[in-house]
């Protein structure tokens, strides 16, 4: 990478017309040799002009050198120039949020070239001891790692402090927090059969006028029977649903992004973005069971603005904001007397029940293969489904070996 620099300190000379001239030679950012000319009535005047120019030139170089900037200024510029055009808007919002809340408050005012591995470790250790989740602290490490790798590759700094500041092992992280590092399958939250009945009962409640007590509560029961992500659920339009063939076409998703004027956040508010799904395999067809069809019919009775409108819409037929959808869900759980669980728990419950199966009257278990469930969820691999979505239930195996005596 070429750095703009001075090639001479200026040369004053007397011109043929009796005036004085001067020239300062320098190299620009593209490596091209250029000059700056000056003139005056005396040699002293020209030298004064050249001295002022050289001083200003050096100051500009000094302030432009990345290593001399504060981390906040440098990282903000890196995010806006390199990350904003290349990642999803929601991903960029997360980058920005992590930088502003976990990185800048601690080392944002430090000079980039002075930041050491110890500074990085202090940041990571601080949030760890504050009780933050491993995944949150890992995001901090990932952003810092990517940023400092860029600076090193561009030769803007000589040494990468991240080389001596690895992310702490997950087991050690939780040991320091005095928490157990549970297997992933143990951290999966699902609804019990009793909770599902409570949820369905509460969702069906109506006022004396017949109006639903909870607005569009059928959407959550529909998610429980289809495994849809919240963003996918909100992205479903009525024309995506084929009740005759009992199938739902998942084609788009809804996300919330920060409103911006260019790369700058405009006023701190958010807006709904309707766009592509999480991955290529997320675009899929989901079969509809009797409960799912009933919920769709009930939702259309509440609000219906035509085939091109969202199934879960606001009072004007527009897409519903995910944060509003999430708040309604938690009100429903509270009303049903169910311990708070994330919206994704509906998807986990769907996957868990299909893989673990349902015990039939004759003692056999009716279930789907992990591959079939992965296809229904839109996962690219069965490993994702089995590791992160299915809560093992060995009680279903009770008595299953009775006919296999050896």
């Amino acid at each position: 990478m070429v750095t703009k620099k001075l090639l001479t300190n200026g040369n004053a000379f007397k011109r043929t017309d009796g005036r004085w001239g001067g020239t300062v030679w320098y190299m620009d950012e593209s490596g091209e040799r250029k000059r700056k000319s000056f003139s005056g009535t005396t040699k002293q005047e020209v030298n004064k002009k050249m001295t002022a120019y050289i001083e200003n030139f050096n100051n500009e170089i000094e302030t432009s050198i990345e290593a001399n900037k504060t981390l906040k200024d440098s990282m903000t510029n890196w995010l806006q120039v390199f990350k904003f055009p290349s990642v999803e808007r929601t991903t960029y919002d997360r980058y920005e949020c992590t930088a502003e809340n976990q990185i800048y408050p601690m080392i944002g005012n430090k000079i980039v070239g002075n930041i050491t591995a110890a500074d990085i470790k202090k940041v990571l250790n601080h949030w760890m001891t504050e009780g933050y989740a491993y995944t949150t602290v890992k995001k901090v490490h990932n952003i810092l790692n990517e940023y400092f790798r860029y600076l090193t590759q561009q030769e803007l700094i000589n040494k990468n402090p991240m080389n001596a500041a690895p992310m702490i092992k997950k087991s050690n992280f939780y040991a320091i927090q005095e928490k157990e590092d549970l297997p992933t399958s143990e951290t999966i939250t699902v609804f019990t059969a009793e909770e599902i009945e409570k949820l369905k009962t509460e969702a069906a409640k109506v006022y004396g006028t017949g109006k639903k007590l909870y607005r569009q509560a059928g959407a959550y029961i529909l998610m429980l029977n289809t495994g849809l992500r919240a963003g996918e659920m909100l992205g479903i339009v009525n024309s995506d649903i084929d009740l005759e063939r009992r199938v739902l076409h998942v084609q788009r998703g809804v996300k919330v992004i920060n409103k911006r004027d260019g790369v700058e956040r405009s006023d701190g508010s958010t807006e709904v973005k309707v766009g592509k799904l999480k991955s290529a395999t997320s675009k899929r067809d989901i079969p509809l069971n009797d409960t799912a069809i009933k919920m769709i019919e009930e939702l259309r009775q509440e609000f219906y603005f035509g085939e091109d409108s969202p199934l879960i819409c606001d009072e004007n037929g527009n897409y519903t904001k995910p944060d509003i959808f999430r708040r309604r869900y938690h009100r429903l759980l509270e009303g049903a007397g169910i311990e708070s669980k994330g919206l994704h728990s509906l998807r986990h419950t769907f996957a868990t029940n299909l893989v673990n199966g349902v015990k039939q009257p004759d003692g056999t278990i009716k279930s789907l293969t992990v591959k079939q469930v992965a296809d229904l969820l839109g996962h690219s691999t069965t490993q994702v489904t089995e590791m992160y979505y299915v809560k093992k239930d060995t009680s279903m195996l009770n008595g299953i070996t009775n006919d296999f005596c050896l």
Side-chain angles (χ1 to χ4, degrees), residues 24-25 38 47 56 64 74 90 121 127 130 150 163 166 199 206 218 235 238 279 320 342 356 378 384:
V24 174
W25 288 90
F38 305 87
N47 281 333
N56 184 62
S64 68
S74 176
T90 49
K121 289 299 289 183
W127 297 116
E130 285 291 309
Y150 152 76
N163 291 339
L199 188 68
V206 295
N238 285 295
S279 64
T320 298
N356 287 341
V384 172

Side-chain angles (χ1 to χ4, degrees), residues 19-30:
R19 289 174 61 82
W20 283 84
T23 304
V24 174
W25 288 90
Y26 66 94
M27 183 181 292
D28 67 9
E29 294 87 344
S30 62

Side-chain angles (χ1 to χ4, degrees), residues 153-325:
Q153 289 174 342
Q154 294 298 314
E155 299 181 355
L156 298 172
I157 58 174
N158 296 322
K159 190 176 181 180
N160 187 346
M162 299 302 295
N163 291 339
M167 180 63 191
I168 189 171
K169 290 183 179 179
K170 189 176 180 181
S171 56
N172 295 339
F173 183 96
Y174 283 120
I176 292 170
Q177 291 187 339
E178 297 183 348
K179 296 177 182 177
E180 187 178 359
D181 182 17
L182 296 170
T184 304
S185 60
E186 293 297 315
T187 63
I188 296 170
T189 55
V190 299
F191 288 89
T192 65
E194 181 183 359
E195 287 174 332
I196 291 172
E197 288 307 312
K198 285 183 178 180
L199 188 68
K200 291 168 70 174
T201 300
E202 190 70 16
K205 285 184 177 179
V206 295
Y207 290 106
T209 59
K211 184 180 178 181
K212 287 280 187 180
L213 182 61
Y214 299 95
R215 181 168 172 172
Q216 297 168 313
Y220 309 113
I221 310 303
L222 180 56
M223 289 173 66
L224 194 60
N225 284 270
T226 56
L228 285 168
R229 299 178 178 94
E232 293 172 344
M233 179 75 261
L234 296 178
I236 297 296
V237 299
N238 285 295
S239 59
D240 294 329
I241 304 166
D242 189 337
L243 292 182
E244 184 178 345
R245 292 185 174 82
R246 299 171 68 92
V247 66
L248 187 154
H249 307 293
V250 184
Q251 304 186 75
R252 70 194 66 77
V254 168
K255 300 174 183 178
V256 169
I257 58 175
N258 291 323
K259 283 186 177 179
R260 295 181 182 275
D261 181 9
V263 297
E264 299 289 343
R265 286 205 304 269
S266 55
D267 56 5
S269 58
T270 59
E271 60 184 341
V272 169
K273 179 186 178 185
V274 182
K276 65 180 184 179
L277 296 163
K278 185 175 182 180
S279 64
T281 53
S282 295
K283 191 173 184 178
R284 63 200 187 279
D285 290 345
I286 299 177
L288 299 171
N289 59 27
D290 290 341
T291 300
I293 290 174
K294 181 182 177 183
M295 292 303 103
I296 290 170
E297 290 172 341
E298 288 185 4
L299 288 165
R300 285 177 168 175
Q301 287 174 4
E302 281 188 71
F303 291 100
Y304 182 78
F305 288 84
E307 286 296 287
D308 294 330
S309 68
L311 176 67
I312 313 300
C313 60
D314 63 15
E315 59 276 4
N316 298 313
N318 300 317
Y319 288 96
T320 298
K321 283 189 173 184
D323 55 333
I324 294 175
F325 188 65

